[in-house]
Each structure stands twice: as structure tokens, then as C-alpha cells.
Amino acid sequence: MPSFSPLLADDKRRPADGQPLVFGCAYGSGAALFIAEQQATDMQPRLVIAPGVAAAETLEDELRFFAADRQVELYSDPEVLAYDAFSPHPDLVSRRLALLARLLEGE
């Protein structure tokens, strides 16, 4: 079960290793600041799931601001529905596959 924490980065509220961290009460750029501060403590990769494409792109921009010295990547939406008769653009597929390859290699 995930632990819940208000927007605080103190060690008393950190979940055990391998457990997800769920937090609330993050207004404005608070979520991006919190993620950037957590990233700075151990430099491990973070997976952040956003509720939609616009929210993900906004979070990406905010993380690039707060964590300018670290790599921030957006796993792009394929922009194609499952029942569409056409495929996603090859450049989009290529970017998504390149990101997955870098993650597997530990970059």
C-alpha cells in the first residue's frame, strides 16, 4: 500500500524502498519542486505519471526549471487511439524507443 505524505521531504515520511510515494496538496509548481528535491537526495531515476498530456508537458517544463542539472525526459503520448486505422508518426515511435533503451542501459 502506498504511503501518503503532504508536500514534505523529511525522512520520517519516506516509504520503504520499492514502495510508491503518493502525496497531495501540491499547488502550482509544488509537485515539480518536490520531485526535484527528492531526485537531488539520491539521484535515482523517477517515474512520474501525470493525469494527461498537458499536465505532463507542464510538469516536464517545471522539472527542467527546478532540476536544470539533471536529465528530464517525457515519454510522449502516441497520439493514436487503439482503434485508429493509422500508425503513430515514425519520429514519435523512434523517440519513445530511444528513451526506453536509455532507461534499460541505465543512463
Side-chain angles (χ1 to χ4, degrees), residues 21-42:
L21 175 64
V22 179
F23 64 92
C25 306
Y27 299 101
S29 298
L33 177 60
F34 180 76
I35 294 165
E37 288 177 352
Q38 288 294 309
Q39 175 72 21
T41 62
D42 60 13

Side-chain angles (χ1 to χ4, degrees), residues 69-81:
D69 59 332
R70 291 180 291 279
Q71 186 174 357
V72 176
E73 296 285 341
L74 177 65
Y75 189 71
S76 303
D77 178 33
E79 301 173 356
V80 176
L81 300 174

Side-chain angles (χ1 to χ4, degrees), residues 55-101:
E57 290 172 347
T58 300
L59 186 60
E60 177 191 23
D61 292 340
E62 292 168 350
L63 283 171
R64 288 186 192 281
F65 176 79
F66 289 120
D69 59 332
R70 291 180 291 279
Q71 186 174 357
V72 176
E73 296 285 341
L74 177 65
Y75 189 71
S76 303
D77 178 33
E79 301 173 356
V80 176
L81 300 174
Y83 50 83
D84 283 343
F86 53 91
S87 298
H89 193 276
D91 290 343
L92 180 62
V93 173
S94 180
R95 281 195 308 266
R96 289 169 54 104
L97 290 174
L99 175 57
L100 291 174

